Amino acid sequence: VLFLQIVHILNMTSAKIVSFLLHPEESLHSLQNRIEFETGISTGNQELLLETGICLDPRKPASQCVIDGVRGWDSYMVYLFDKSKTVYDGPFASRSLSDCVNYIVQDSKIQLPIPQLRKVWAEAVHYVIGLKEDYSRLFQGQRAAMLSLLRYNANLIKMKNNMVSASQQLKAKLEFFHQSIRLDLERYSDQMAYGISSEKMLKAWKEMEEKASQCAQAEDIGYLDEQIMALHTEIVELQKSPYARRQGEVMESLEQRAIDLYKQLKTRPPDHAYSDSTDMVKIIVQTVQSQDRVLKELFGHLSKLLGCKQKIIDLLPEIEVALNNIKEADNSVMQMQGKRQREIWHLLKIACTQSSSRSLVSSSLEGTASTPAATWLPQSSSGNSAPHPLSSLAAPEDGENYADVIRENVNYLELFSSILQEVRQEQNSMMVS
């Protein structure tokens, strides 16, 4: 018996407690099936919270409901909520009166012997204490719901901060992209008259600018930010609400009054005296009325908590969609920026190739114009300008130098032709792309 594990489930929709004996290594799903059979709440709509507001982990066994410690195995409570409902409005039936207590409530002025009255009043005190404990357990369930809401809110704030940060980064990248592409288009227009031009590339750049303007829609998260801020304000107001604090002071004072009345009755001698139960019945009635009032306030506050929690649950997928849209827009902007930069470097390569080919052509033409003249000009001696003898004209080695120049010019011509062919191919490929 000492090693038995029993879990107590407080159904917050009906304010009733159901207890289950846990089987060894029983899964949480198995326990939920048993809860569904007892409460009628389907397993998919069950939310089981610990006192700390932590939801039970379906991957762990059902024994996670019971903790070992000083408090003991018979005092720990798990709170059951129905996720399909956000308004808990009762009616909630109070615990039933015993026959003898109901007897004095029906007629508080009836005279009873002191020994019998002690037994009746003892049960009456137990009833008053039970009403106070019922409220305490329900208040603890409301507190668990508040802690769970705060956990959801913390996750919401974290996702909101990630969304705002991603939106600001996208906005900065779009501003940089627009400024850089405008500058590139201006510089490209300036050089079109004397440099390289490509209508397809120019059209592609303008399409990039339009696409970047469409990406700016992803950074517009103002509507989500407003909803989150309004929800955050509502949660703060719920935390500050007096109904978020324990309201059982009146019931505790009535409990103490009932105990004091019973102590006074015990001091009376068990003689043949009789007495009525007017004072005790007043305490019972006041306790019931006080419980009705505080439970109405408690469940009204609990409904607001659950409504805020449902709003968070509905907002989380929208934030996920917004984050994905921002990431896709960010990737698109970076891809367009990289593509344009590669095209600019490609244009620079073509321009450098054309410049180098022109310098090679000019240098080869200068070499061919000067070398033959120097070869065929006669060598003039100092003084007279008489023609040289035949032996002083071009020697065989001069003829060999002229042949070398011709071969060099031919090589330059072939190189120039190959360079021009490469340039044409690159221009064609760029026009296609």
Side-chain angles (χ1 to χ4, degrees):
V1 173
L2 293 177
F3 289 100
L4 293 178
Q5 287 187 325
I6 299 177
V7 57
H8 304 288
I9 307 294
L10 176 57
N11 185 359
M12 296 296 292
T13 62
S14 63
K16 294 182 179 180
I17 298 176
V18 289
S19 301
F20 299 96
L21 174 64
L22 297 181
H23 305 299
E25 302 301 326
E26 183 178 4
S27 65
L28 183 62
H29 181 69
S30 173
L31 176 61
Q32 286 183 303
N33 288 332
R34 297 164 66 188
I35 293 174
E36 179 180 0
F37 179 78
E38 292 291 335
T39 63
I41 302 175
S42 64
T43 57
N45 289 327
Q46 292 177 18
E47 184 177 24
L48 297 171
L49 297 181
L50 301 177
E51 288 185 356
T52 56
I54 299 176
C55 188
L56 294 183
D57 191 345
R59 298 168 296 182
K60 296 181 180 180
S63 58
Q64 63 182 300
C65 301
V66 182
I67 61 172
D68 298 326
V70 180
R71 293 181 56 187
W73 56 270
D74 198 31
S75 61
Y76 199 71
M77 194 75 59
V78 176
Y79 304 95
L80 171 64
F81 295 86
D82 187 351
K83 291 189 288 186
S84 65
K85 298 175 62 177
T86 56
V87 178
Y88 291 4
D89 51 4
F92 304 104
S94 299
R95 60 170 57 201
S96 58
L97 291 167
S98 63
D99 293 337
C100 58
V101 176
N102 186 48
Y103 180 72
I104 63 172
V105 169
Q106 295 295 330
D107 187 3
S108 61
K109 295 183 178 180
I110 189 171
Q111 299 288 323
L112 295 175
I114 297 300
Q116 184 179 358
L117 201 60
R118 287 178 182 174
K119 296 180 181 180
V120 176
W121 280 22
E123 291 191 22
V125 170
H126 175 74
Y127 178 75
V128 172
I129 294 175
L131 291 178
K132 190 261 301 183
E133 290 180 348
D134 290 345
Y135 167 76
S136 298
R137 281 192 287 264
L138 290 171
F139 174 79
Q140 192 61 43
Q142 176 194 271
R143 179 175 172 79
M146 170 62 81
L147 294 175
S148 176
L149 172 63
L150 294 179
R151 291 178 183 274
Y152 273 82
N153 189 46
N155 188 30
L156 177 68
I157 292 174
K158 181 179 178 181
M159 292 185 65
K160 178 238 182 185
N161 292 336
N162 292 337
M163 180 181 65
V164 171
S165 177
S167 176
Q168 291 175 348
Q169 292 179 13
L170 175 61
K171 183 178 181 181
K173 290 179 180 179
L174 284 172
E175 290 178 356
F176 172 79
F177 181 83
H178 282 298
Q179 292 178 3
S180 61
I181 197 171
R182 289 192 192 104
L183 181 62
D184 291 339
L185 288 171
E186 290 175 3
R187 295 295 180 265
Y188 180 81
S189 300
D190 294 341
Q191 65 88 41
M192 282 180 64
Y194 58 86
I196 302 170
S197 63
S198 173
E199 291 297 330
K200 288 186 177 181
M201 188 183 71
L202 182 62
K203 182 181 179 182
W205 284 9
K206 291 182 179 179
E207 289 177 355
M208 287 181 186
E209 190 174 17
E210 295 176 358
K211 189 175 181 180
S213 300
Q214 296 175 358
C215 291
Q217 298 176 359
E219 69 173 276
D220 184 15
I221 56 171
Y223 68 101
L224 283 176
D225 195 20
E226 291 177 359
Q227 293 183 46
I228 294 171
M229 292 304 297
L231 188 56
H232 180 67
T233 303
E234 189 175 352
I235 293 173
V236 172
E237 292 298 325
L238 288 175
Q239 287 182 279
K240 294 180 180 179
S241 172
Y243 305 128
R245 296 183 290 275
R246 189 181 181 88
Q247 302 291 316
E249 293 84 359
V250 175
M251 299 180 68
E252 290 174 356
S253 64
L254 290 171
E255 174 191 15
Q256 189 60 46
R257 284 175 55 189
I259 294 173
D260 293 340
L261 275 178
Y262 178 72
K263 288 181 178 180
Q264 292 174 10
L265 182 65
K266 284 186 67 177
T267 59
R268 295 179 63 174
D271 51 13
H272 298 288
Y274 285 76
S275 180
D276 61 20
S277 304
T278 304
D279 294 335
M280 181 62 73
V281 170
K282 286 181 180 180
I283 294 175
I284 294 174
V285 173
Q286 291 176 1
T287 305
V288 172
Q289 292 175 347
S290 177
Q291 189 200 45
D292 290 340
R293 177 182 59 82
V294 294
L295 285 184
K296 183 178 180 180
E297 296 170 349
L298 183 147
F299 281 99
H301 187 72
L302 177 62
S303 298
K304 294 179 181 178
L305 294 178
L306 298 176
C308 284
K309 186 175 180 180
Q310 187 60 45
K311 291 178 183 178
I312 294 178
I313 294 174
D314 294 337
L315 269 177
L316 291 178
E318 296 185 31
I319 297 176
E320 286 284 353
V321 172
L323 272 173
N324 292 332
N325 292 337
I326 291 173
K327 290 179 181 178
E328 291 177 0
D330 188 281
N331 293 333
S332 179
V333 170
M334 296 306 295
Q335 290 175 2
M336 289 189 297
Q337 179 73 14
K339 184 176 183 295
R340 199 178 77 257
Q341 287 182 330
R342 287 192 297 269
E343 290 173 348
I344 290 174
W345 280 99
H346 190 67
L347 290 176
L348 181 61
K349 179 181 178 182
I350 295 174
C352 292
T353 304
Q354 290 181 351
S355 176
S356 61
S357 63
R358 291 194 190 98
S359 62
L360 286 175
V361 171
S362 61
S363 62
S364 63
L365 291 176
E366 290 176 358
T368 54
S370 60
T371 304
T375 304
W376 290 100
L377 282 176
Q379 299 292 333
S380 59
S381 58
S382 59
N384 299 326
S385 58
H388 291 279
L390 188 60
S391 61
S392 66
L393 295 176
E397 56 271 13
D398 294 332
E400 293 175 0
N401 290 335
Y402 181 69
D404 293 337
V405 171
I406 293 174
R407 283 194 297 270
E408 185 179 359
N409 289 337
V410 172
N411 292 333
Y412 278 132
L413 182 60
E414 293 177 353
L415 178 61
F416 178 63
S417 300
S418 63
I419 290 174
L420 288 178
Q421 186 177 1
E422 291 179 359
V423 170
R424 292 193 187 94
Q425 291 177 355
E426 291 179 352
Q427 286 181 337
N428 293 333
S429 62
M430 186 182 68
M431 296 288 286
V432 172
S433 63

